Amino acid sequence: MSSNKKFCETTKCLLLILVTVAAVIAIICVITFSDENLREKRYEKADLKWWQTSIVYQIYPRSFQDSDGDGTGDLRGIKERLGYVSGLGVGAVWLSPIFRSPMRDFGYDVQNYTEVDPIFGNMADFDDLMKEAKAKNLRVILDFVPNHTSNDSKWFYLSERGDAKYKDYYVWNDGLNCSSGCEATGGKRPPNNWLSVFGGSAWKWSGIRQKFYYHAFLDSQPDLNLRNEEVKEELKNVMRFWLQKGVDGFRADALKFMFESKNVTQNETGLSDPFAWNEEDNHNLTTNFEDIYGILKAWRKVLEEYGSDKFLIAESYGISHDVRNKYYESGSIPFNFALIQYLNASCDAQCMKSVIKESMADLKPSYWPNYVIGNHDNHRVANKFGPETIDAFNMLLLTLPGTPTSYYGEEIGMRDTFYTYSETKDPAGLNFNETLYLEHTRDPERSPMQWNDTFNAGFSNGTPWLHVNSNYKVINVKNQESAKYSHLKVYKQLAELRQKSSFTYSNLTFVDVDDVDENPKKILSYIRTQPGQDRYLVVLNFGHLYANDVDLSKSAGSKRGEVVVNAMSNYQVNTEVDLTRITLSRGQGLVIKVK
Ligand code: GLC
Ligand code: MG
């Protein structure tokens, strides 16, 4: 009896100990891995992957540097300019498509994914470029276009002809019977009202196959059938091909368009033609299908075959936070287009603060943030917000948390270039008439890089595919390298500054601005720091008026600081500044080390 009791007690005791130990372990785990604790952890550069401490610099290859005088930029041209690029302080270049293409959408219509287009050079030029980039410690990210190919691709050619292997590589449909006016389409009409991003029906009749094919973009960009296992394998092998060549990752194009409803009898409602690709909701039959995430996960596995530090950033306009989080969970980083999509010239500092806050909302610390303010599909910063704000926007982009992506030329404040209708090259513009094209053309932001004040701004000895902006004698790299103050110099200072560990993690604290004279509408201010590190105060005037004697001292917790970077203002770098009375006008900004 008594031994029995003893046994019982021992078991109880053991159980108690076990439960206690398990609970302690669980608590330790929760604390260690909780989001809050991640916020408290101090991040050193060594803890982070290269893409977490790098600026990504987007090069539009056609417009960067022409080496052979044919008027179009090329790989050798880019290689020649890598010294400049690394001198900016960026860590990676993303090249818009360089693959063989009939260039109807300037490379986003790929004919062969594993060949370099002759206009850009050849594979040896690519290998040279990679070598040079490695030597300069620059990572290389390629564009990856999985949603569609060119209709000139071998795959489409064979698919259109019903080849046994390729017939289901694209999205084909018989269409509906049509009683009149459909002679040109075999007496058929499209199966539904789905629209192309570039305008008009997303279905195109193939007289050869006697079926319609689906194209989210141009009719020369047929959508791949990503429900076909062989197509998925092909794309993975394309990734492997370039990873073997040493690329560091991909920017994946137009992912939200990868799947469409299998039920083609349904129409989409509430459509505008063409549809704004940043619309969130009403394309529920043609965008944002759950199947995307399975594909992303499979790609992440492929990337991991080549190391744990490969980068995958996804084009992702108009996605909800829920969708954004799924992109993260699937091993990619969705571009944060908040600054591109939700800011306009009338957005004051308060509005900007809420746009930034909203874009960071529900972002787990393990989801690495990123910001982007311009690219080859959007107007240049100087034109959207006014040339007086160029430095302020670079200051914002480069001091926000996470990975920034800069579009070529933004570092020198390049402007949109005007092209007449007859000069226009972009199909997104040419799909419209002479009155409407300006709303759609993307040529203005694709004008050649302005290197110096010589012929064609040093871009090409020939006739540039798009003419150089006539302001090139004033706005160019060479001028800005020699000027005492320039956009370029501010950019470089910011790029250097953001290497400091105070900027390396995702913590950002907005600073309250005294509510005098509408200051909160003018001044956007925040602190970047990490536990035990210097505190940097960023102060930017994005209002429309002068802000006089703004008191930031309470939120900043100090009255004194030292100017580290100056954007356009009268303050001098390396001088002391009184945080109780900061005066800035629109477009001026400061990074201040708080004392
Ligand atoms: C992406 C590209 C854009 C291209 C489109 C179709 O949105 O950024 O330039 O036209 O995809 O490929
Ligand atoms: Mg060339």
Side-chain angles (χ1 to χ4, degrees), residues 105 108 145 148 198 217 221 251 253-254 277 315 317 376-377 442 446:
D105 190 21
Y108 284 97
V145 190
H148 47 265
F198 289 143
F217 294 90
Q221 291 169 302
R251 172 269 188 190
D253 182 75
W277 42 22
E315 188 187 34
Y317 286 97
H376 64 296
D377 295 324
R442 299 164 296 177
R446 297 175 177 180

Side-chain angles (χ1 to χ4, degrees), residues 61-62 65-75 77 118-121 459-460:
R62 299 181 66 85
Q65 178 67 62
D66 176 22
S67 73
D68 60 3
D70 67 354
T72 301
D74 43 53
L75 296 180
I119 204 145
F120 297 128
F459 164 70
S460 170

Side-chain angles (χ1 to χ4, degrees), residues 345 348-349 388 517-523 540-548 550 582-588:
D348 61 19
E388 74 283 6
D517 204 14
E518 300 210 316
N519 282 342
K521 289 191 174 168
K522 300 173 194 163
I523 299 290
L540 294 151
N541 186 336
F542 284 118
H544 296 278
L545 297 164
Y546 206 72
N548 206 14
V550 183
I582 291 186
T583 296
L584 294 171
S585 57
R586 174 173 173 78
Q588 297 185 337

Side-chain angles (χ1 to χ4, degrees), residues 70 125 180 197 231 362 377 390 428 501 581:
D70 67 354
D125 296 327
S180 69
V197 172
V231 170
D362 327 313
D377 295 324
I390 290 163
S501 65
R581 40 193 302 257

Side-chain angles (χ1 to χ4, degrees), residues 34 47 60 116 166 211 304 338 421 424 435 497 561:
S34 77
D47 301 331
Y60 194 69
V116 171
Y166 292 95
K211 281 178 194 284
E304 265 157 23
Y421 191 61
T424 294
T435 10
L497 176 72

Side-chain angles (χ1 to χ4, degrees), residues 527-539:
I527 288 190
R528 299 296 318 277
T529 189
Q530 289 205 77
Q533 299 292 291
D534 289 333
R535 298 169 73 231
Y536 289 91
L537 176 69
V538 182
V539 195

